[in-house]
Amino acid sequence: MGLLSKKDAKLISDPLADNNPITIQVLGICSALAITAQLKPSIVMAISVIFVMGVGNVVISLMRNVIPSKIRIIVQLIVVATLVIIVDQVLKAFAYTLSKELSVFIGLIITNCIIMGRFEAFALGNGPWRSFLDGIGNALGYGVILIIVGFFRELLGSGTLFGFKVLGDSVEKTGLYALGYENNGFMVLPPMALIVVGLIIWVQRSRNKALIED
Amino acid sequence: MEHLELFFKSIFVDNMVFAYFLGMCSYLAVSKKVSTAVGLGAAVIFVLMITVPLNWLLDQYLLQEGALSWLGEEYASYDLSFLSFIMFIATIATMVQLVEIVVEKFSPSLYNSLGIFLPLIAVNCAILGGSLFMQSREIESLGLAFNYGISSGIGWFLAILAIAAIREKIRYSAVPPALRGLGITFIITGLMAIGFMSFGGMLTGGDEAPKTEEKSVAIKKELEKEKEEITKKVSLVNTSKTENE
């Protein structure tokens, strides 16, 4: 990491584990749960949030000395909304079916608490380069959880990854299905997202006792 | 009838929290005590009740394709729907600010109970989600939009009330240390969501019809495949029999 000083590198690595936006800071859960029934939308969502977070944090950080503090929430919302419109239009142009699948959840990036939370907590008080790193770091931490949840839900729920049948064909009984394995259709349903995230939190806090709440 | 169906559907079947995970952030953050949960829940109902019909009007007369035709013939071809995110969120943010000012002026007691929650609400996904779902489901009339706003607000209120009550009790239970707090709340919410899924059978019709059709088609296909396999096997057995003979 010749490019980044130690302090800057920490901005990226911290949110990936011990200060994860979803499991520790409890931000941005809404979209994390709703679109993770499959891996592909999870990854698209993660990339969209990385873009919005990175650019948004820089813009807010550049404007931080000009924004009157009374109306800062509206200013922040407008900045995010503009960026999200760009993402939405790009998705509609290049991946129309996927954008239909994500439906309102692309729009809901606007009210994703990670974004507002990082604007408030970091971008308003730091320079553009550090804000950029913080934005990317937090969005990556968010993306990692999204991808883990999406991976397990798609694998156990429909036996596929990115739509490829990795466990064999469930109708023709090849691969694992020949041994009597069955898909757990429950994993595809919304409630399981919550339980999977709950289990991730459990694993993470068991590994790092310092994170346990009293 | 239409109104009644939408009302119960938005509260139970399409519950904001349990079916779409909207407003989860404040749902998790403000559900430690029942009294604060009630305050936030009431504020959400209130704001949804105002913003959903307002955004319906905006959508109908400004944003949709051809919505500007009331301005004159030459505007009929405009489609501003790509602006809807920014319009909706601006409406919500200004309405929240306005509601805060008005409530403070005319009902200080209500302001004291709702006051601290109102700024939180501008960034609650349930509010923007209500408007976006209203748009994507193409709700037909202003009355239905109003109904949708109130009923989805009530659904959210019920959810946060229930989880706050459970969290107050669970403090006295022996939860594994690593699950304490956030982890167990997630899992309980998951179990509650499973419970709420049972309401899915309450209303049949509407947009559930195609799903069941797809299922029955899939089942039919599987049955047909099985039949084919059986006939194949039977024919195989028959041919082997004739060969033996």
Side-chain angles (χ1 to χ4, degrees), chain A residues 59-60 63 66-82 116 119 124, chain B residues 93:
Chain A
V59 173
I60 292 291
M63 299 199 305
V66 204
I67 306 174
S69 70
K70 274 203 169 165
I71 57 157
R72 66 176 191 283
I73 292 198
I74 292 184
V75 174
Q76 289 164 1
L77 284 173
I78 299 294
V79 169
V80 189
T82 319
M116 298 299 289
F119 282 1
L124 281 176

mmCIF file of all heavy atoms in Angstrom, chain A residues 59-60 63 66-82 116 119 124, chain B residues 93:
data_model
loop_
_atom_site.group_PDB
_atom_site.id
_atom_site.type_symbol
_atom_site.label_atom_id
_atom_site.label_comp_id
_atom_site.label_asym_id
_atom_site.label_seq_id
_atom_site.Cartn_x
_atom_site.Cartn_y
_atom_site.Cartn_z
ATOM 1 N N VAL A 59 -18.363 14.696 -2.803
ATOM 2 C CA VAL A 59 -19.126 15.918 -3.086
ATOM 3 C C VAL A 59 -19.474 16.643 -1.788
ATOM 4 O O VAL A 59 -19.256 17.856 -1.662
ATOM 5 C CB VAL A 59 -20.413 15.572 -3.875
ATOM 6 C CG1 VAL A 59 -21.287 16.806 -4.015
ATOM 7 C CG2 VAL A 59 -20.063 15.019 -5.236
ATOM 8 N N ILE A 60 -19.989 15.881 -0.820
ATOM 9 C CA ILE A 60 -20.364 16.514 0.445
ATOM 10 C C ILE A 60 -19.137 17.097 1.139
ATOM 11 O O ILE A 60 -19.169 18.197 1.696
ATOM 12 C CB ILE A 60 -21.056 15.485 1.375
ATOM 13 C CG1 ILE A 60 -22.410 15.094 0.809
ATOM 14 C CG2 ILE A 60 -21.223 16.040 2.776
ATOM 15 C CD1 ILE A 60 -23.435 16.181 0.856
ATOM 16 N N MET A 63 -18.246 20.333 -0.290
ATOM 17 C CA MET A 63 -19.194 21.410 0.012
ATOM 18 C C MET A 63 -19.326 21.684 1.503
ATOM 19 O O MET A 63 -20.131 22.498 1.906
ATOM 20 C CB MET A 63 -20.589 21.037 -0.534
ATOM 21 C CG MET A 63 -20.640 20.840 -2.018
ATOM 22 S SD MET A 63 -22.304 20.957 -2.672
ATOM 23 C CE MET A 63 -23.199 19.772 -1.740
ATOM 24 N N VAL A 66 -19.604 25.166 2.897
ATOM 25 C CA VAL A 66 -20.573 26.080 2.296
ATOM 26 C C VAL A 66 -21.996 25.784 2.765
ATOM 27 O O VAL A 66 -22.853 26.658 2.754
ATOM 28 C CB VAL A 66 -20.527 25.966 0.755
ATOM 29 C CG1 VAL A 66 -21.046 27.238 0.134
ATOM 30 C CG2 VAL A 66 -19.118 25.669 0.276
ATOM 31 N N ILE A 67 -22.255 24.518 3.153
ATOM 32 C CA ILE A 67 -23.625 24.131 3.493
ATOM 33 C C ILE A 67 -24.024 24.717 4.843
ATOM 34 O O ILE A 67 -23.351 24.479 5.844
ATOM 35 C CB ILE A 67 -23.743 22.592 3.590
ATOM 36 C CG1 ILE A 67 -23.246 21.934 2.314
ATOM 37 C CG2 ILE A 67 -25.174 22.191 3.873
ATOM 38 C CD1 ILE A 67 -23.196 20.428 2.398
ATOM 39 N N PRO A 68 -25.132 25.495 4.874
ATOM 40 C CA PRO A 68 -25.626 25.956 6.173
ATOM 41 C C PRO A 68 -26.123 24.746 6.969
ATOM 42 O O PRO A 68 -26.821 23.903 6.417
ATOM 43 C CB PRO A 68 -26.811 26.867 5.815
ATOM 44 C CG PRO A 68 -26.729 27.078 4.349
ATOM 45 C CD PRO A 68 -25.966 25.944 3.771
ATOM 46 N N SER A 69 -25.791 24.668 8.227
ATOM 47 C CA SER A 69 -26.047 23.419 8.946
ATOM 48 C C SER A 69 -27.538 23.151 9.128
ATOM 49 O O SER A 69 -27.942 22.020 9.309
ATOM 50 C CB SER A 69 -25.348 23.439 10.298
ATOM 51 O OG SER A 69 -25.992 24.356 11.131
ATOM 52 N N LYS A 70 -28.359 24.202 9.039
ATOM 53 C CA LYS A 70 -29.800 23.981 9.246
ATOM 54 C C LYS A 70 -30.444 23.186 8.123
ATOM 55 O O LYS A 70 -31.372 22.421 8.362
ATOM 56 C CB LYS A 70 -30.519 25.333 9.384
ATOM 57 C CG LYS A 70 -30.491 25.848 10.797
ATOM 58 C CD LYS A 70 -31.618 26.823 11.051
ATOM 59 C CE LYS A 70 -31.726 27.111 12.534
ATOM 60 N NZ LYS A 70 -32.541 28.276 12.817
ATOM 61 N N ILE A 71 -29.990 23.392 6.905
ATOM 62 C CA ILE A 71 -30.637 22.697 5.794
ATOM 63 C C ILE A 71 -29.756 21.589 5.241
ATOM 64 O O ILE A 71 -29.930 21.129 4.124
ATOM 65 C CB ILE A 71 -31.014 23.668 4.653
ATOM 66 C CG1 ILE A 71 -29.767 24.393 4.167
ATOM 67 C CG2 ILE A 71 -32.067 24.657 5.085
ATOM 68 C CD1 ILE A 71 -29.930 24.909 2.755
ATOM 69 N N ARG A 72 -28.794 21.127 6.030
ATOM 70 C CA ARG A 72 -27.829 20.183 5.457
ATOM 71 C C ARG A 72 -28.481 18.859 5.067
ATOM 72 O O ARG A 72 -28.054 18.224 4.108
ATOM 73 C CB ARG A 72 -26.666 19.957 6.425
ATOM 74 C CG ARG A 72 -27.050 19.273 7.711
ATOM 75 C CD ARG A 72 -25.831 18.995 8.564
ATOM 76 N NE ARG A 72 -26.182 18.107 9.657
ATOM 77 C CZ ARG A 72 -26.820 18.482 10.749
ATOM 78 N NH1 ARG A 72 -27.186 19.739 10.896
ATOM 79 N NH2 ARG A 72 -27.112 17.610 11.691
ATOM 80 N N ILE A 73 -29.548 18.462 5.797
ATOM 81 C CA ILE A 73 -30.153 17.167 5.464
ATOM 82 C C ILE A 73 -30.753 17.205 4.065
ATOM 83 O O ILE A 73 -30.587 16.283 3.282
ATOM 84 C CB ILE A 73 -31.198 16.788 6.531
ATOM 85 C CG1 ILE A 73 -30.448 16.505 7.832
ATOM 86 C CG2 ILE A 73 -32.005 15.580 6.090
ATOM 87 C CD1 ILE A 73 -31.185 15.751 8.857
ATOM 88 N N ILE A 74 -31.418 18.307 3.743
ATOM 89 C CA ILE A 74 -32.010 18.406 2.420
ATOM 90 C C ILE A 74 -30.924 18.432 1.356
ATOM 91 O O ILE A 74 -31.019 17.762 0.327
ATOM 92 C CB ILE A 74 -32.927 19.652 2.323
ATOM 93 C CG1 ILE A 74 -34.139 19.432 3.226
ATOM 94 C CG2 ILE A 74 -33.344 19.912 0.908
ATOM 95 C CD1 ILE A 74 -35.162 20.501 3.163
ATOM 96 N N VAL A 75 -29.840 19.163 1.614
ATOM 97 C CA VAL A 75 -28.742 19.218 0.652
ATOM 98 C C VAL A 75 -28.178 17.822 0.436
ATOM 99 O O VAL A 75 -27.974 17.371 -0.696
ATOM 100 C CB VAL A 75 -27.631 20.177 1.142
ATOM 101 C CG1 VAL A 75 -26.438 20.113 0.207
ATOM 102 C CG2 VAL A 75 -28.153 21.584 1.235
ATOM 103 N N GLN A 76 -27.961 17.092 1.537
ATOM 104 C CA GLN A 76 -27.427 15.736 1.412
ATOM 105 C C GLN A 76 -28.363 14.848 0.605
ATOM 106 O O GLN A 76 -27.926 14.097 -0.261
ATOM 107 C CB GLN A 76 -27.230 15.129 2.806
ATOM 108 C CG GLN A 76 -26.072 15.753 3.566
ATOM 109 C CD GLN A 76 -26.132 15.448 5.038
ATOM 110 O OE1 GLN A 76 -27.029 14.754 5.493
ATOM 111 N NE2 GLN A 76 -25.184 15.961 5.798
ATOM 112 N N LEU A 77 -29.668 14.978 0.905
ATOM 113 C CA LEU A 77 -30.632 14.140 0.193
ATOM 114 C C LEU A 77 -30.612 14.420 -1.304
ATOM 115 O O LEU A 77 -30.691 13.514 -2.120
ATOM 116 C CB LEU A 77 -32.045 14.359 0.738
ATOM 117 C CG LEU A 77 -32.331 13.702 2.079
ATOM 118 C CD1 LEU A 77 -33.686 14.125 2.600
ATOM 119 C CD2 LEU A 77 -32.280 12.194 1.941
ATOM 120 N N ILE A 78 -30.473 15.710 -1.659
ATOM 121 C CA ILE A 78 -30.470 16.059 -3.084
ATOM 122 C C ILE A 78 -29.233 15.477 -3.766
ATOM 123 O O ILE A 78 -29.313 14.929 -4.868
ATOM 124 C CB ILE A 78 -30.500 17.596 -3.273
ATOM 125 C CG1 ILE A 78 -31.764 18.193 -2.650
ATOM 126 C CG2 ILE A 78 -30.406 17.962 -4.736
ATOM 127 C CD1 ILE A 78 -33.044 17.794 -3.310
ATOM 128 N N VAL A 79 -28.075 15.569 -3.094
ATOM 129 C CA VAL A 79 -26.851 15.011 -3.680
ATOM 130 C C VAL A 79 -27.020 13.512 -3.908
ATOM 131 O O VAL A 79 -26.749 12.993 -5.000
ATOM 132 C CB VAL A 79 -25.634 15.280 -2.758
ATOM 133 C CG1 VAL A 79 -24.431 14.484 -3.231
ATOM 134 C CG2 VAL A 79 -25.317 16.750 -2.726
ATOM 135 N N VAL A 80 -27.513 12.791 -2.885
ATOM 136 C CA VAL A 80 -27.673 11.348 -3.035
ATOM 137 C C VAL A 80 -28.685 11.040 -4.116
ATOM 138 O O VAL A 80 -28.467 10.153 -4.949
ATOM 139 C CB VAL A 80 -28.137 10.700 -1.719
ATOM 140 C CG1 VAL A 80 -28.080 9.203 -1.837
ATOM 141 C CG2 VAL A 80 -27.294 11.148 -0.585
ATOM 142 N N ALA A 81 -29.803 11.782 -4.112
ATOM 143 C CA ALA A 81 -30.856 11.486 -5.078
ATOM 144 C C ALA A 81 -30.332 11.639 -6.502
ATOM 145 O O ALA A 81 -30.624 10.819 -7.370
ATOM 146 C CB ALA A 81 -32.055 12.398 -4.853
ATOM 147 N N THR A 82 -29.512 12.665 -6.736
ATOM 148 C CA THR A 82 -28.956 12.858 -8.075
ATOM 149 C C THR A 82 -28.099 11.661 -8.472
ATOM 150 O O THR A 82 -28.221 11.123 -9.578
ATOM 151 C CB THR A 82 -28.089 14.135 -8.107
ATOM 152 O OG1 THR A 82 -28.762 15.143 -7.367
ATOM 153 C CG2 THR A 82 -27.848 14.592 -9.506
ATOM 154 N N MET A 116 -26.415 8.453 4.603
ATOM 155 C CA MET A 116 -26.641 9.640 5.432
ATOM 156 C C MET A 116 -25.743 9.612 6.667
ATOM 157 O O MET A 116 -25.200 10.630 7.078
ATOM 158 C CB MET A 116 -28.101 9.712 5.866
ATOM 159 C CG MET A 116 -29.072 9.848 4.732
ATOM 160 S SD MET A 116 -28.789 11.331 3.798
ATOM 161 C CE MET A 116 -29.361 12.539 4.968
ATOM 162 N N PHE A 119 -22.211 10.592 5.749
ATOM 163 C CA PHE A 119 -22.158 12.024 5.439
ATOM 164 C C PHE A 119 -22.066 12.819 6.736
ATOM 165 O O PHE A 119 -21.219 13.678 6.910
ATOM 166 C CB PHE A 119 -23.427 12.468 4.699
ATOM 167 C CG PHE A 119 -23.447 12.108 3.242
ATOM 168 C CD1 PHE A 119 -22.396 11.420 2.675
ATOM 169 C CD2 PHE A 119 -24.515 12.472 2.456
ATOM 170 C CE1 PHE A 119 -22.417 11.089 1.332
ATOM 171 C CE2 PHE A 119 -24.545 12.149 1.113
ATOM 172 C CZ PHE A 119 -23.504 11.452 0.555
ATOM 173 N N LEU A 124 -18.715 15.492 6.583
ATOM 174 C CA LEU A 124 -18.878 16.897 6.978
ATOM 175 C C LEU A 124 -17.672 17.421 7.746
ATOM 176 O O LEU A 124 -17.536 18.625 7.933
ATOM 177 C CB LEU A 124 -20.147 17.067 7.818
ATOM 178 C CG LEU A 124 -21.452 17.123 7.034
ATOM 179 C CD1 LEU A 124 -22.626 17.199 7.970
ATOM 180 C CD2 LEU A 124 -21.467 18.317 6.097
ATOM 181 N N ALA B 93 -38.788 15.595 2.560
ATOM 182 C CA ALA B 93 -37.972 16.393 3.473
ATOM 183 C C ALA B 93 -38.660 17.702 3.828
ATOM 184 O O ALA B 93 -38.692 18.108 5.002
ATOM 185 C CB ALA B 93 -36.606 16.663 2.846
#
